[in-house]
Amino acid sequence: KKKPHPPRQRSAMLPSPLVRGARTALRSLAASSSAGLRLEKALCTAPSGASHDRNLHHRRAAAPTSSTAVYRALSRAFSTAQTVNTRIDASKLTVERTKSPKVKPPFDHTLPFGKVFSDHMLEIDWTRSAGFGTPRIVPFHNLQLSPSIPALHYGVQCFEGMKAYKDASGGVRLFRPEMNMKRFDDSCKRLALPELDKEGMQKCIAELCKVESDWVPAFEGCSLYLRPTCIGTSEGLGVSEPSEALIFVIASPVGPYFANGFAPVKVLAETGFRRAWPGGTGSNKVGGNYAPGLMPQKLSAAKGYSQVLWLFGEEEYVTEIGAMNFFVFWVTPEGKKELITAPLDGTILPGVTRDSILKLAKGWDMCDKVSERAFTMKELAKAVDEGRVLEVFGAGTAAVVAPVDGIGYNGRNLPVPCGTDGKAGDLTKKLFGAISDLHYGRSDQMGWSVPV
C-alpha cells in the first residue's frame, strides 16, 4: 500500500500579480536608465506563477522561482545602478600640459574682454548610464561635435561667469565661487542637464586656476575670466532630455571694464520686447535668454543708447539692464534714502555681485533702506521729475558696477545724476571699491574671497 504524499510545501514564490505590477512600475525606470532596462528584462523572463508539478522540489534546482528571479534581477540592476557616478572626483583629475604655450599679451588695461584664451581648459564628460567621467585639464582646443546635438538645435546649454584674481602676494583667489556653482547647477537642472556635484566642480575649477596661475593678471582691475559651460551632446534630432553632456571651462585674461575710469551710459527703457517672464528661464544663465536680446540691443544702439533697460508686464516693472542687475538709489516719497532692486521672482538672475551689494549696503549708513521689491518705470520717471533719484547703476561680474546717466522712455530722456564729477555717485564708487578690495583679498571680513 502506497504511503500518502506529504502535504505539499507552499511555494515561497512572489505572487504573479506582484510580478506583473513590478514590471509595469519599472517601465519608467527602464526608459530612463540602462539598469532599469536590464531589470525589466529580468522580470519579464521570471516565472509568473507556481508550478503544480509533484517534482517541484527537483525543478527548483534547474530553474529559479519567481521570487528568486526577482531578487537576483533586483540585485544585478541596483548593483549596476550604484556604478552611475554622481560625483565629480577632483582627486582623480588628470592634467595634460600643452606642448605649444601661447604668447601672452600685455596684462594691463588694454586687455579686451573674451578675445584671448589661456593655454588649458577643463573638460568633464557625462552620460546617463555612467554619470560623470574623470575630469581632465587639457590644452585649449576646438570641440569635435556632431551637428545633430541638442545644444545646437534646441538650446540645451547653459553657462556661468566668474573670475579669478591675483592678490598682492601672488596668490590666486575666487570670489564667492559657491554661489556660481549653485547657479550653474540650477541652470543645468532647468534644462534637464545633469545635476552637478557642486563641491567637486568647484575643486576642479580651482585646480584649473592653479595650472593657469601665470594667466591671472596682477594688474589692478584685471582678472582671469572663467566660463563654465554645460552642453547636451547626445546625437540625433528630437526634443528630449539629453543622454550625454559635456562640461567644459575656458579661461580668458581680461582688463578693466572701464579702462579709463567710470564712463556712465545711457539706456533705453524697452516697452515692446521682453527679456523674461514668470515660469521661464530668466533666473538661469542659458543661451536662450541672451540671443533674443541682440536685436533690441541693436535697435537701441541705433537710437544712441548703450544698453536696454528691460521692463515687464502692462505695469512696466523694471527688471534688468542689458545682461546686468539694475539698482536705483533714490529718496522715497517719505524722505528715506532707499537702494532698491527688483526681487528674485523667477525673472531676475540671482547675481553674485547683486547679492554682495545688498549685503554690503545693509551695513552702511548711506542707505536708510535696502529693498528687494517690484517698482515700475512710471515710478522711476516720476522720481526723476521730482528730483528724488540720486544714482542709478547696473551690476554684474564683468563691470562690478556700471553707472547710468540717462534713461530713454516714451520719447523722453530722463537725466540721472552721476556724482559731482559726472562719472559716478558716492554709493556707486564706494560699492566698487569695497567689492574690488574683496576680489583681490585686500579685505575679507565677509569670508567671500577664497584662495585656490
Side-chain angles (χ1 to χ4, degrees), residues 226-238:
L226 302 167
R227 174 52 64 88
T229 308
C230 184
I231 60 175
T233 57
S234 45
E235 296 185 14
L237 302 178

Side-chain angles (χ1 to χ4, degrees), residues 140-158:
F140 185 93
H141 65 95
N142 293 332
L143 302 179
Q144 292 186 339
L145 300 167
S146 166
S148 67
I149 63 172
L152 298 178
H153 294 270
Y154 309 113
V156 187
Q157 54 102 312
C158 59

